[in-house]
Amino acid sequence: MATVAVSNGSSRSGPPAAKSMLNAGLKIVDTEGIGALFLGAQATIAGYFWYGLSVYPSYTFLKRYLVSHLDYSAVMNHANEIALLAGALAAVVASLGLTPLEAARIRVVADPTVYKPLGLTGTIGVIANEDPVLGWTNLYAGLPSLLTRQVIFGSIKFLAFERACEFLFALWPSLRDATWTSLLVSLVAGGLSGVISSAVSQPADSVLTYVAKDSSSSRGLGLLDGVRRMVEQEGPRSLFRGLGSRCVWAGSIIAGQFLLYDVFRTLFGVSSDDLSQMYEVALILLPGGGEG
Amino acid sequence: MFRWTLINIPVAVHQYTYTVRQVFSMKTLFSMDGQTIDPSAVLKLKRKRIVCIGAFGATRRYRLIPHRIRTTHSLLVPVVLLSLCLCTTTTASFVSKITNKRVKTVSPLSSSSGDKKDALHPNTITRRAALAAITSIAFFPSLTQADTTNDGSADSLERIRLGEGRWKPLHRSEMIISNVNDGPVTLISASFCTYAARFLIQYDRGVSSWWTELEAHLKTEQLNKEKLLGRAFGSFAKSLEQAFGTQSIEQLYDHFVTSYGKQPDAARQIALLFTLLPASQQPIFRLQNYYDEFNEIASISNNNAVKELNYKSPSSINTSYFGDNLTRLLPATFHITKQQRGNNSGFTIEPAVTLDETRVIGEEFGGGSVITTFGPLASVPLIRETPVYAPKTYALFGLAGATGCTITHALVIPLDGTFRSLFLAPGMSCCTLGHPCKTTLLTIDNNSPSCNSFENAGPNRPSGNSGSEQR
């Protein structure tokens, strides 16, 4: 079994103009049918359904759990660390479900003629039965890589989003007045969070790709070795290669995620102010009260 | 789908009179007594704002805020999405199904966002004020949680003796309209509320343990300690104001006396508290009773002790006396005396206390608060995060997250497909699962088609081997 790293083209070439994108899209539809645009859609949808389903509740739960089980001064002094830890653990939970779906998606995209007719479950079945030694664990062959990326990106994503929201509301408190303005804040903070997360996770991501690419020849190249060799061979700037386009892409996707998360939270009645309690005192008239 | 609720803006709060413009500029000054309004009392209705006659014949202005009643229709979205994920199969026709269904799943979203435009919020206090308060109270998460998890005993504020203290879900607190039929809603002066808060911190066991816990928790917070304490105090005073507003002043006096009257010096403090009200509102008969009793005792016991005290304690109070300590009460030298002014007899405090009430529009205490001699009165009551979320809440978080992520990423699938076909050999993706715009790890079995065989899978592909050449 060989692990081949395939690098992302968009990180090399800048994002093309919208018009040429549209033309290209139309051309693909003409030549290959509309299906070419939707390769792996089933796995993507299933994967993100699981991702959203798992990552938000587990982040909230873990953060509240950590806060309630630490003493007050620890909570006050390490608020950022707590958020990072909760985000990282939530990313682990999400990755466990995401890895097999990602494996299936890659198969479908890589070889549509074989895997597309099988469907999502069929593809997963093929991968699980392919290797008699690994069995179903073959589905989790990509776990270490996915987990590393998810943990770094996911933990920073939540922390950056929360801090960005706080910052924006501190700057313009009136944005809290209406629901739509606070959703706008979610959108902008989500975008900022996506950009920050990509910037922070970019070096690790580049190194992982580099290590994975290299591991076909020399197995067991450690992360630190990878950093050293990558900087030696391609210069320190290679760690941040393709950052711009990745920021644009991740920024818009994370913005969309947080916006829609907050929209649906408000719809379902579990937005942050739905989950608040107000203190009130009910005065019950006491019988024969009053002593003068 | 919508109903209307009245949010009132008390215009004449004793010595303060505001012009209409001023009132409407105070966005966060809505009180929550939510009384129903007789249509005949309405004087003017203009742009969702009405002017009408309220308690004591005072003109009051109300703002209409629409409510959205939650429906279960919104739950259809994830159901549609779920069926979308599970039921479709990867055939040639699968793709066209996806496109159709995607349109369906997106449409409820767009309609709901339309709804939201006029649905401000179901809370009767503004969102901004509420959130400001939440952020202030959110600083004490361990405090509220420790109480519910550790010993199972009620929150210390729930043990208040004055009445039944309780934490209500914020979105249901609009139902506070309880005592409408019991009589007019009383407008209580800000000084009264803040002094009552001080009184309760001293004399109520529940409130005082809440306060000491708060102070203990804030020990580590050097910089913000006073600010956070002030916020908590102001919000607590606001909670009290709402409770006081449902009773007549006489009933309120009886409440205080039966709950705390037997404690040392409490009777004098209660009398002082009610003397802070304007003469027209004071419970004259009860104060008179207390006054007579007090004088009797004073005349029996030699007045010397009191006179001696006079020399030691300050004869006049300036704001700094109360400013640095939110638990201080008026010292022993202060007592009530009778004051005759025309036909109105009332009581005042001797020596005189200057009652400052300054309206603050800033955000310091949640916006639109009143700073009094005895401390701040916030514009929103005490609010905290729900200590423990129900499993249902987490489930809804999950549904919201799943729906949001699925829609976002379903929208970029064709974009990703175009990218893939434009720039990359097949098998590469701009949008890998769980990680946007990322290099993709391909795990390829030796038996499965090799990387090179992908290269010829479709048109429009750059020749040459994957990423490394594009670098």
Side-chain angles (χ1 to χ4, degrees):
Chain A
M1 201 185 87
T3 310
V4 180
V6 183
S7 302
N8 169 2
S10 72
S11 55
R12 246 60 70 192
S13 52
K19 203 180 166 190
S20 69
M21 272 293 290
L22 189 67
N23 287 341
L26 290 174
K27 198 176 171 190
I28 292 162
V29 173
D30 278 349
T31 52
E32 299 173 57
I34 197 163
L37 289 182
F38 290 95
L39 270 182
Q42 213 182 9
T44 304
I45 287 173
Y48 275 109
F49 193 86
W50 163 255
Y51 178 81
L53 192 68
S54 59
V55 85
Y56 291 98
S58 40
Y59 174 73
T60 316
F61 176 78
L62 289 164
K63 199 177 148 201
R64 293 175 69 92
Y65 182 85
L66 289 171
V67 163
S68 65
H69 284 78
L70 290 171
D71 73 289
Y72 187 75
S73 60
V75 170
M76 292 304 279
N77 295 329
H78 302 286
N80 287 351
E81 287 86 344
I82 289 171
L84 279 176
L85 183 60
L89 292 173
V92 172
V93 175
S95 300
L96 291 178
L98 212 52
T99 312
L101 292 166
E102 169 71 349
R105 194 195 66 85
I106 291 171
R107 287 297 172 93
V108 174
V109 170
D111 196 357
T113 45
V114 175
Y115 293 104
K116 219 172 118 183
L118 292 174
L120 180 59
T121 46
T123 311
I124 288 178
V126 166
I127 301 173
N129 297 320
E130 205 158 60
D131 194 317
V133 183
L134 290 174
W136 62 271
T137 50
N138 194 27
L139 285 168
Y140 284 93
L143 184 65
S145 158
L146 189 82
L147 200 60
T148 316
R149 291 157 204 262
Q150 278 291 322
V151 163
I152 295 172
F153 194 91
S155 54
I156 294 163
K157 181 176 93 170
F158 279 110
L159 177 66
F161 176 75
E162 286 177 358
R163 291 288 167 274
C165 279
E166 278 172 25
F167 176 74
L168 290 172
F169 281 129
L171 219 54
W172 298 290
S174 58
L175 288 175
R176 282 194 167 122
D177 276 348
T179 310
W180 75 269
T181 48
S182 62
L183 289 176
L184 191 74
V185 169
S186 297
L187 183 79
V188 174
L192 283 173
S193 150
V195 168
I196 293 167
S197 314
S198 342
V200 174
S201 65
Q202 178 75 21
D205 202 55
S206 307
V207 171
L208 269 177
T209 309
Y210 186 82
V211 171
K213 195 167 60 140
D214 223 58
S215 66
S216 48
S217 52
S218 60
R219 275 260 168 192
L221 185 64
L223 266 184
L224 284 175
D225 286 335
V227 176
R228 203 177 302 134
R229 201 181 293 185
M230 192 173 169
V231 173
E232 273 169 18
Q233 290 180 0
E234 305 183 29
R237 292 195 62 183
S238 66
L239 289 174
F240 288 98
R241 196 178 289 144
L243 180 62
S245 53
R246 192 170 158 233
C247 281
V248 172
W249 181 266
S252 33
I253 282 186
I254 303 302
Q257 280 184 2
F258 275 114
L259 172 72
L260 290 178
Y261 176 57
D262 280 355
V263 164
F264 284 106
R265 234 155 50 113
T266 317
L267 276 181
F268 297 159
V270 287
S271 65
S272 54
D273 42 351
D274 286 318
L275 292 171
S276 300
Q277 293 176 326
M278 194 191 75
Y279 179 66
E280 64 174 31
V281 184
L283 298 177
I284 302 126
L285 200 60
L286 309 161
E291 299 162 6
Chain B
M1 187 126 181
F2 295 102
R3 63 200 167 95
W4 299 89
T5 296
L6 297 166
I7 296 211
N8 78 333
I9 310 162
V11 175
V13 189
H14 306 301
Q15 55 262 59
Y16 299 106
T17 332
Y18 298 98
T19 65
V20 177
R21 223 192 84 230
Q22 275 174 322
V23 167
F24 286 142
S25 68
M26 297 172 194
K27 281 187 173 173
T28 49
L29 279 183
F30 312 127
S31 86
M32 284 181 62
D33 54 4
Q35 55 172 322
T36 48
I37 287 194
D38 181 10
S40 64
V42 176
L43 303 175
K44 243 196 283 182
L45 173 59
K46 197 178 171 186
R47 269 197 252 149
K48 292 186 187 174
R49 280 165 185 161
I50 60 173
V51 178
C52 64
I53 310 225
F56 305 118
T59 310
R60 304 179 93 183
R61 288 168 176 79
Y62 294 84
R63 200 172 82 164
L64 291 165
I65 296 218
H67 275 211
R68 183 172 44 77
I69 298 171
R70 288 200 178 84
T71 54
T72 47
H73 296 311
S74 49
L75 287 173
L76 282 177
V77 180
V79 171
V80 171
L81 276 167
L82 192 64
S83 61
L84 181 101
C85 297
L86 298 178
C87 301
T88 50
T89 49
T90 352
T91 54
S93 59
F94 146 71
V95 171
S96 55
K97 274 187 205 159
I98 280 274
T99 37
N100 291 341
K101 289 210 172 179
R102 233 185 61 236
V103 174
K104 274 185 211 156
T105 53
V106 173
S107 57
L109 169 71
S110 54
S111 70
S112 61
S113 60
D115 291 343
K116 301 183 74 56
K117 203 175 176 183
D118 31 11
L120 246 182
H121 216 266
N123 304 335
T124 35
I125 49 181
T126 64
R127 198 191 160 82
R128 173 184 175 183
L131 283 170
I134 292 166
T135 47
S136 68
I137 307 307
F139 282 101
F140 324 117
S142 55
L143 168 71
T144 50
Q145 297 204 338
D147 287 335
T148 44
T149 50
N150 288 354
D151 47 5
S153 71
D155 183 270
S156 48
L157 272 182
E158 287 174 356
R159 300 200 305 262
I160 189 169
R161 272 191 78 188
L162 189 64
E164 191 198 324
R166 57 194 174 202
W167 291 96
K168 265 183 128 184
L170 189 60
H171 66 272
R172 250 182 269 150
S173 299
E174 56 190 289
M175 299 305 175
I176 209 165
I177 314 176
S178 51
N179 296 308
V180 176
N181 299 326
D182 297 355
V185 172
T186 323
L187 289 175
I188 306 282
S189 84
S191 300
F192 180 87
C193 297
T194 47
Y195 197 73
R198 283 170 183 267
F199 176 86
L200 290 174
I201 289 172
Q202 284 291 330
Y203 285 95
D204 188 279
R205 227 178 267 167
V207 177
S208 107
S209 70
W210 165 72
W211 188 256
T212 38
E213 276 171 54
L214 203 60
E215 280 188 317
H217 278 295
L218 289 177
K219 242 174 209 163
T220 48
E221 272 288 291
Q222 296 292 325
L223 289 171
N224 290 324
K225 185 179 177 180
E226 271 186 26
K227 197 175 160 187
L228 293 175
L229 277 177
R231 276 192 189 175
F233 179 92
S235 305
F236 176 64
K238 185 68 187 180
S239 288
L240 291 178
E241 187 193 41
Q242 290 179 355
F244 297 161
T246 60
Q247 304 275 308
S248 74
I249 295 294
E250 282 75 20
Q251 288 170 333
L252 206 55
Y253 191 91
D254 293 345
H255 270 301
F256 269 93
V257 170
T258 41
S259 304
Y260 310 106
K262 293 203 173 71
Q263 295 182 49
D265 204 30
R268 183 182 65 95
Q269 289 293 351
I270 294 170
L272 286 171
L273 172 66
F274 280 83
T275 313
L276 291 171
L277 291 167
S280 58
Q281 275 190 338
Q282 286 171 1
I284 300 294
F285 290 118
R286 286 163 171 81
L287 285 177
Q288 183 69 51
N289 279 344
Y290 165 78
Y291 184 67
D292 294 343
E293 260 176 49
F294 173 79
N295 280 348
E296 233 170 80
I297 296 165
S299 58
I300 289 167
S301 69
N302 215 331
N303 255 348
N304 288 344
V306 180
K307 273 176 187 166
E308 266 174 37
L309 268 172
N310 265 332
Y311 293 109
K312 283 173 187 170
S313 41
S315 55
S316 71
I317 295 290
N318 51 9
T319 21
S320 64
Y321 176 79
F322 292 107
D324 54 353
N325 189 340
L326 287 168
T327 60
R328 230 172 235 181
L329 292 171
L330 287 166
T333 42
F334 286 77
H335 53 91
I336 65 168
T337 54
K338 210 163 183 183
Q339 182 198 43
Q340 202 76 29
R341 198 192 287 150
N343 291 332
N344 287 336
S345 66
F347 287 89
T348 52
I349 296 174
E350 268 275 317
V353 178
T354 40
L355 297 182
D356 275 337
E357 291 187 15
T358 322
R359 186 118 350 213
V360 183
I361 305 292
E363 288 292 314
E364 200 180 349
F365 299 106
S369 49
V370 183
I371 307 290
T372 70
T373 310
F374 310 113
L377 172 69
S379 56
V380 272
L382 205 53
I383 287 170
R384 68 168 185 188
E385 273 182 59
T386 306
V388 180
Y389 288 169
K392 189 191 158 204
T393 308
Y394 284 113
L396 288 174
F397 279 162
L399 272 186
T403 324
C405 286
T406 312
I407 291 173
T408 314
H409 289 272
L411 287 177
V412 296
I413 289 172
L415 209 63
D416 185 42
T418 314
F419 257 120
R420 195 168 53 225
S421 306
L422 254 186
F423 300 105
L424 312 172
M428 293 173 243
S429 170
C430 193
C431 170
T432 71
L433 272 182
H435 214 73
C437 198
K438 191 102 313 182
T439 52
T440 306
L441 262 189
L442 261 180
T443 316
I444 297 167
D445 211 77
N446 286 332
N447 302 327
S448 67
S450 76
C451 193
N452 287 333
S453 71
F454 299 163
E455 296 295 319
N456 309 318
N460 234 356
R461 304 257 147 81
S463 58
N465 219 338
S466 55
S468 53
E469 279 192 10
Q470 291 169 22
R471 279 171 193 256

